[in-house]
């Protein structure tokens, strides 16, 4: 079981920081020895989950099978899809659903709209909670002690010149998301992109997910997001919540 745990840690390292890893990268990211990391990588390659060019290891399409075990059986993405589609059609923007995972916002469902320029969000993508709209909404759903514990970890990456990393300011933004019922991220993840998200509450009032829209800042202003997107997202998230 210890070997399985190391293998899973290596799998999770892909995509967190890079689409390809060396043995040294895998050892550093998973805090295991180089020998253990090499054994895991070679085993995953032998099983068809990774490809190896002599230096770098890269995931193969077979890796999608691991995520499909959740996506094919979990009720939340299946229940959410009709609501994401309806919100997409109403806003003419791609709409996503994300859940909390230890400091990350993980996208589990999405309704796409065709555009020449993509926001780059995909199912399975992980965004840091401190600078993503979904992450701030999910943080707002946690207790104050949990939020303080998360912010005390430090190590927050400044993704753009507009990324907020100060703990006091992030606390204010999380509290605002809790009070206002929505969270935003304005060019903090990527210059030229802004996003807004609302919580999805279950029958007990717990925040179980965040529904969001990302759009080009050249196409949609922050005011338009607040005026047009928040009410539409809130309506669909409420309908989804009544099913949970």
């Amino acid at each position: 079981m210890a070997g399985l745990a190391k293998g899973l840690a290596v799998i999770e390292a892909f995509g967190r920081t890079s689409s390809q890893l060396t043995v040294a990268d895998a050892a550093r990211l998973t805090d295991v020895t180089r020998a253990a990391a090499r054994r895991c990588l070679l085993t995953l390659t032998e099983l068809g989950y990774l490809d190896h060019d002599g230096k770098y290891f890269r995931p193969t399409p077979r890796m999608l099978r691991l995520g499909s075990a959740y996506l094919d059986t979990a009720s939340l993405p299946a229940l959410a899809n009709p609501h994401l589609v309806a919100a997409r059609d109403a806003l003419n923007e791609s709409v996503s659903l994300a859940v909390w995972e230890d400091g990350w916002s993980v996208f589990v469902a999405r309704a796409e709209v065709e555009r020449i320029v993509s926001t780059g969000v995909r199912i399975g993508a992980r965004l840091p909670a401190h600078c993503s709209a979904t992450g701030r909404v999910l943080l707002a759903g946690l207790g104050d002690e949990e939020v303080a514990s998360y912010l005390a970890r430090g190590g927050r990456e400044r993704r753009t010149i507009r990324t907020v990393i100060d703990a006091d300011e992030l606390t204010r933004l999380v509290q605002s998301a809790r009070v206002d019922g929505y969270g935003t991220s304005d060019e903090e993840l990527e210059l030229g992109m802004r996003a807004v998200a609302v919580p999805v509450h279950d029958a007990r009032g717990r925040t179980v997910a965040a529904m969001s829209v990302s759009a080009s800042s050249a196409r949609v202003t922050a005011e338009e997001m607040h005026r047009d997107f928040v009410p539409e997202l809130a309506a669909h998230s409420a309908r989804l919540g009544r099913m949970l």
Side-chain angles (χ1 to χ4, degrees):
M1 297 308 292
L4 173 62
K6 291 176 182 177
L8 291 173
V10 169
I11 288 172
E12 291 185 349
F14 285 97
R16 187 183 308 167
T17 58
S18 177
S19 60
Q20 58 184 22
L21 298 175
T22 64
V23 171
D25 293 333
R28 174 176 51 82
L29 290 170
T30 59
D31 196 26
V32 300
T33 65
R34 287 173 63 108
R38 184 174 184 275
R39 286 194 298 270
C40 289
L41 289 167
L42 291 177
T43 298
L44 289 167
T45 301
E46 185 177 337
L47 292 173
Y49 289 103
L50 300 178
D51 178 56
H52 186 215
D53 65 5
K55 179 179 180 180
Y56 290 104
F57 292 84
R58 299 178 181 85
T60 69
R62 185 183 178 94
M63 194 75 80
L64 292 172
R65 297 186 186 182
L66 301 178
S68 66
Y70 171 77
L71 295 173
D72 290 346
T73 60
S75 61
L76 181 58
L79 290 173
N81 273 323
H83 302 284
L84 300 181
V85 169
R88 176 201 65 190
D89 293 345
L91 296 172
N92 194 30
E93 298 285 350
S94 297
V95 182
S96 305
L97 190 79
V99 297
W100 174 262
E101 185 189 305
D102 191 28
W104 297 85
S105 171
V106 182
F107 290 84
V108 297
R110 182 167 169 82
E112 292 272 5
V113 65
E114 290 188 11
R115 292 203 186 281
I116 297 176
V117 179
S118 169
T119 60
V121 175
R122 66 191 186 284
I123 294 178
R126 293 153 54 96
L127 297 181
H130 73 280
C131 57
S132 59
T134 49
R136 288 172 180 168
V137 165
L138 293 168
L139 277 167
L142 302 178
D144 289 339
E145 291 186 3
E146 292 175 285
V147 174
S149 176
Y150 164 76
L151 293 175
R153 297 182 197 177
R156 289 179 289 278
E157 179 185 3
R158 190 183 293 278
R159 301 285 290 264
T160 75
I161 58 173
R162 301 193 62 174
T163 304
V164 176
I165 60 173
D166 177 72
D168 290 338
E169 178 63 11
L170 286 171
T171 299
R172 186 191 68 77
L173 289 169
V174 170
Q175 291 174 342
S176 294
R178 187 181 294 160
V179 172
D180 298 338
Y182 69 93
T184 62
S185 175
D186 197 350
E187 299 190 284
E188 294 187 54
L189 277 167
E190 179 183 347
L191 291 176
M193 298 300 300
R194 55 173 51 107
V196 64
V198 301
V200 177
H201 300 298
D202 65 10
R204 297 174 60 182
R206 298 173 301 185
T207 300
V208 295
M211 189 179 294
S212 69
V213 170
S214 298
S216 166
S217 57
R219 190 175 68 253
V220 180
T221 67
E223 291 76 13
E224 288 172 329
M225 276 198 158
H226 176 264
R227 184 190 68 221
D228 302 329
F229 289 14
V230 171
E232 193 70 33
L233 287 175
H236 290 287
S237 71
R239 291 174 191 141
L240 172 58
R242 287 194 287 271
M243 303 173 70
L244 302 177

